Amino acid sequence: IDSEDSVVCAAVYNDLGMAYGRAKEFDKAIESLIQALRIRKMKLGNESLEYGQSVYSLALIHVDMEKFNQALNCLNEAVRVFEQYDDEESDQLIQAIELKGDCSFEVGDFAASAASFQGCIEALIPADDDSGKSYDRERVARLNCKLGHSYSKIDEYEQAFDSYSQSVKDYVKSSGADDLKVADVMYDIGILLVEQDKDALVSKALVCFGEVVRIYKEKGRRIHAKVADSLVQKSKILIEQSDHDEASPLLEDALEVYRELLGNDSTEVGQVMMLRGKLHDECDNQDDAYRDFKEALRIFQKCLGEDDVHVSLALFNLGTIDARKKEHAKAIEQCKEALKIRVKRGDQDRDVADSAFNIATIYDDWGDSDQAFQYYSQCLKLYRELAGDMDTSVGNCYYKLGSIHWARGDVELSMSNFLDALRIFEQEDDTDGDVLITLFGGLARCYFRKEQFSVAMEWFLKHIRVLKIHRGEDCLEMAEPCFSVGLIYEKMDKFEEALNFMSKALMLFEKFHGKGSKDCQGCELQIAKVLLALEKYDESLAKFKCYLSQYHKDQSEETADVADAFHRMGQALQGLDKCDEARMFLKKALRASMKIHGNSSLQVAQVLVDLGNIMAKSGSSDEAIAVYDQSIAIFQKHPEDHDVDILASTYVSLAVLLDEKDDFEASLHSWKNALKLYSELVGSGSDEVAEILFKIGILYNHLQNYDRATSCFSESVRIVRNNGDDDEMVANALCHIAKNYARKRQFARGLEMSMEALRLKKQFCSAPEIASCLVDCGDILDGWGKPDQALRFLDEALRIYREQEDESHVTDVANCKRTLGCVYRQLGDSKTALDLLVGALAQHRAQGDDTLEVAGDLFEIGQVYDSFGDREKGLKCFEECLKIREEKLGSDHLDVMAAHKSIRKLQRHKDNSL
């Protein structure tokens, strides 16, 4: 065949190929077109228009075969050729470029498709649209619609909207405002607006879908898929807006259209049934919702098979309703089947994880924490793989796992999971309030359980703040954190704050649960305890009585709460100095505690301590000592559980009573036990330890162990000064140290300590205390052999005492007079000495005739009479002094021996004179 015949033959092959294509015989079509293409390329070259047309024809066949990538290869070549003949074959070029845009769209290259469609539009519209030159508006409208589709796929919503709008304008100009093509583009605009998920655009989307329905109905096309699709889209928007009444009839209309068009069992009918089920579910019409989801499931299984994703979604919704009805076994079965379909399909997307999470939630609600834990753990792994470690779905898994750990009592793991969840949610601007409420509350409870109360307080306060925002200030959920904050303030000894929060909690419990509820009961009791701590004894007592009358009318039942209330009432009555009533309630508390907790329980020990305090206060010291001993014995049986502070204070109370009974050895033992406990409780450098060391020093003085006494006083001073203080106790300790140095005849050191004590006394103490210290200085100087200097201090002391009108210092004044009298005697002023000593004796006798102070005065007066030579009076004084000292001190005491010596001396003088 010659060249010309070959070209004709190629044309025949080309036409034959297209004919085969129309007949769907694609293999023969491609074979014929390739033959045409080979001939034209060989005879005419690959730059020829005919060659380009064959390539374009081949692209059309690939499009029909849905082989879009192969079609794109052909179209790129066809466009290359057609561009060379743009002036004469511009329309063919535009068609090729449009088809190229279609193929790019199909393979997901939306930017390329947009570029192709834009190129077609620019080629069709004159450069100056105002020139009046006509163009194919309908064709341009169609291209703008395609361009809008492409832009919407790459989230270029503004460009997409502009393209759709231009499409509508061109269709309106070419075909009229009510043309079906206008309606179709309006539908696309509606979908575009919905996809942007902005509230301001939703109302516009509703208008668009409404226009679609209107136009189709006016054209007599009510029964059309586009009408049903628009009705469904409107319904979705209205359901999201909770406008269920308006959405419901639209769904019914959509169902009618789909059923008439496609039959009762089409996929579209199933999808509407799913949507209607959602509407019923949101309206709490669970039975209607269940029926619709069930019907959707049947349709999907019939149309799509058992393993389709739509089947999975229907099963999931059915399981969710079953769970809500507490039909957990059925719910689990449905949801597991839904998950099985997802897994079988090979889906590894969020829907698989969401299905597993829903199953976990059902198990959790069912109380099967082991299964819930297993599924939540699987979800956590899936979500982390799909979305990364910081996705909110990962956070949801953490906080659900944290809740399970809390229920199991594993506080550490619970807290760790809650913190992991919070770390994720804190990065979100719109975290669900329910999640924050759960997390803040969970963390607060964890730290409270760990007794990290300051941290727990921070989380409870955050919990309260987020509750105010999302629930309001007076919601029931507010009660529990308010009560917990009150408990923490109570532990911090901030009782006013505790009372405020507990009162708030009580108000909420009463509002939502009613007076007399269990929550109110616990709150009322705790408020009564706080009032007691605030020393509002009358209010506390009234609260306890109200509590007992409301919650425990039969008080003979002797429950733990009743026993506690009796105990606290005893404490309140003690505060009101109603000792007899207090003792009565404490004995009731003791009986109840022994019956409930056992005779050797800590509860019994604590009641015994307060009973001992009442006995001590009312003067029954022997009974109090016995009760304290009993309580201490019980505490010692519970070395790991007892309250160290209470035991230490009990030892202190016991020591004080033993001091009063002059049982110094037993008292010293109690003080030492208290010292050990306080050292462990608040530290060896605490003020409490310093105070006890001071008390022990006094005891060692009584026991004449002056070195140990000085050591205790010195350590007490060191501790207080290390804590940045100087106070009255330091001054008193220095006074004792000074006297002990003087006893060892270290007068210089003693005077130094006494002068430092005097400086502090003048700063912190009353006038009589200052006078007492002046007397100590005088005593030391007197013992040092410096009576002149001693006289100055003692005269000042006596002046201060005489200026006081307080009779409580009579003994101190008498002691000062005696010391001053002794100094005057040493200085040779026996008359002044005798006046002072006689005055001291009179004051001491006012406190009793047989005291050691009286004996001391008599001894010194005897010395003065002896210096006068009045031995009869002197002997009489010494003999009375001896009688008192022997009775008080025994025959071997040094002071007794001194009296004997003075008597023998005077008797010898008397015998010699005879």
Side-chain angles (χ1 to χ4, degrees), residues 18 23 25 44 135 199 255 301 303 359 372 385 406 528 533 537 575 632 683 780:
M18 295 305 294
E25 296 186 35
L44 303 176
Y135 61 90
D199 293 339
L255 269 177
Q301 287 173 329
C303 296
I359 293 171
E385 291 173 355
W406 172 261
Y537 299 120
I632 289 169
I780 292 170

Side-chain angles (χ1 to χ4, degrees), residues 721 734-735 737-738 741 746-759 773 777 780-781 784:
R721 285 183 164 172
L734 290 171
C735 284
I737 293 170
Y741 277 127
Q746 297 178 15
F747 296 112
R749 184 69 174 138
L751 184 61
E752 179 187 350
M753 293 292 104
S754 194
M755 291 301 291
E756 174 65 8
L758 180 61
R759 181 185 70 79
C773 194
C777 292
I780 292 170
L781 288 164
W784 199 0

Side-chain angles (χ1 to χ4, degrees), residues 377-632:
S377 299
Q378 291 174 3
C379 293
L380 178 61
K381 182 180 178 182
L382 272 174
Y383 284 132
R384 292 177 71 179
E385 291 173 355
L386 290 165
D389 291 340
M390 298 305 292
D391 190 74
T392 54
S393 54
V394 175
N396 284 327
C397 290
Y398 276 131
Y399 101 77
K400 288 290 188 180
L401 289 168
S403 297
I404 291 176
H405 283 306
W406 172 261
R408 290 175 173 179
D410 195 333
V411 178
E412 290 293 341
L413 282 175
S414 176
M415 187 166 68
S416 175
N417 284 147
F418 285 145
L419 287 170
D420 284 336
L422 186 63
R423 176 172 49 86
I424 293 168
F425 288 118
E426 280 183 334
Q427 297 188 359
E428 298 294 319
D429 294 330
D430 57 348
T431 299
D432 188 346
D434 288 341
V435 172
L436 292 178
I437 288 168
T438 301
L439 286 177
F440 290 164
L443 284 167
R445 285 186 286 272
C446 285
Y447 282 110
F448 190 91
R449 182 76 62 85
K450 286 167 65 68
E451 297 186 2
Q452 295 181 21
F453 297 118
S454 60
V455 184
M457 170 79 82
E458 293 177 14
W459 287 109
F460 275 126
L461 293 176
K462 288 182 180 180
H463 189 199
I464 289 170
R465 283 196 292 272
V466 77
L467 279 169
K468 284 182 180 179
I469 294 170
H470 295 283
R471 298 280 196 278
E473 190 165 352
D474 291 336
C475 63
L476 174 59
E477 295 96 323
M478 188 77 74
E480 187 261 340
C482 281
F483 184 67
S484 298
V485 169
L487 290 175
I488 295 173
Y489 273 128
E490 184 182 4
K491 291 178 183 296
M492 296 166 65
D493 293 340
K494 295 183 177 181
F495 300 113
E496 289 289 355
E497 292 89 341
L499 183 61
N500 290 336
F501 276 92
M502 288 179 180
S503 298
K504 172 75 172 180
L506 179 61
M507 182 272 290
L508 292 172
F509 283 137
E510 288 179 345
K511 177 180 178 180
F512 289 98
H513 292 165
K515 290 186 177 182
S517 66
K518 186 177 181 180
D519 289 322
C520 290
Q521 178 178 348
C523 208
E524 291 263 25
L525 182 59
Q526 209 61 39
I527 288 173
K529 293 178 184 179
V530 171
L531 289 169
L532 177 61
L534 286 167
E535 298 182 2
K536 297 181 178 181
Y537 299 120
D538 287 319
E539 291 180 54
S540 174
L541 198 60
K543 203 75 172 173
F544 280 121
K545 288 179 179 178
C546 179
Y547 164 80
L548 288 173
S549 65
Q550 188 165 2
Y551 302 110
H552 300 282
K553 292 183 174 62
D554 182 9
Q555 295 176 14
S556 62
E557 60 183 332
E558 293 184 340
T559 64
D561 285 343
V562 170
D564 190 27
F566 284 153
H567 184 187
R568 306 291 180 166
M569 289 174 76
Q571 291 175 327
L573 288 162
Q574 181 183 356
L576 293 169
D577 289 330
K578 297 181 178 180
C579 295
D580 291 340
E581 291 182 62
R583 185 183 291 211
M584 178 186 71
F585 275 99
L586 288 172
K587 286 185 175 179
K588 283 184 177 183
L590 186 62
R591 284 194 299 271
S593 296
M594 285 179 171
K595 182 177 179 180
I596 298 162
H597 305 293
N599 291 354
S600 297
S601 65
L602 287 173
Q603 290 85 350
V604 167
Q606 288 166 352
V607 177
L608 284 170
V609 169
D610 284 313
L611 191 57
N613 293 339
I614 287 290
M615 291 171 174
K617 191 173 184 178
S618 58
S620 303
S621 57
D622 289 337
E623 286 184 277
I625 290 170
V627 168
Y628 286 142
D629 283 336
Q630 188 180 350
S631 68
I632 289 169

Side-chain angles (χ1 to χ4, degrees), residues 79-109:
V79 169
R80 182 189 69 78
V81 175
F82 293 153
E83 284 176 341
Q84 299 179 47
Y85 303 91
D86 189 18
D87 292 338
E88 51 193 274
E89 293 292 339
S90 61
D91 191 62
Q92 195 165 26
L93 174 60
I94 293 170
Q95 287 180 6
I97 294 173
E98 181 179 358
L99 187 58
K100 181 182 173 182
D102 292 336
C103 292
S104 296
F105 189 92
E106 292 295 339
V107 298
D109 190 350

Side-chain angles (χ1 to χ4, degrees), residues 850-862:
D850 57 351
T851 64
L852 289 173
E853 285 78 11
V854 169
D857 294 338
L858 289 167
F859 186 84
E860 296 299 334
I861 292 171

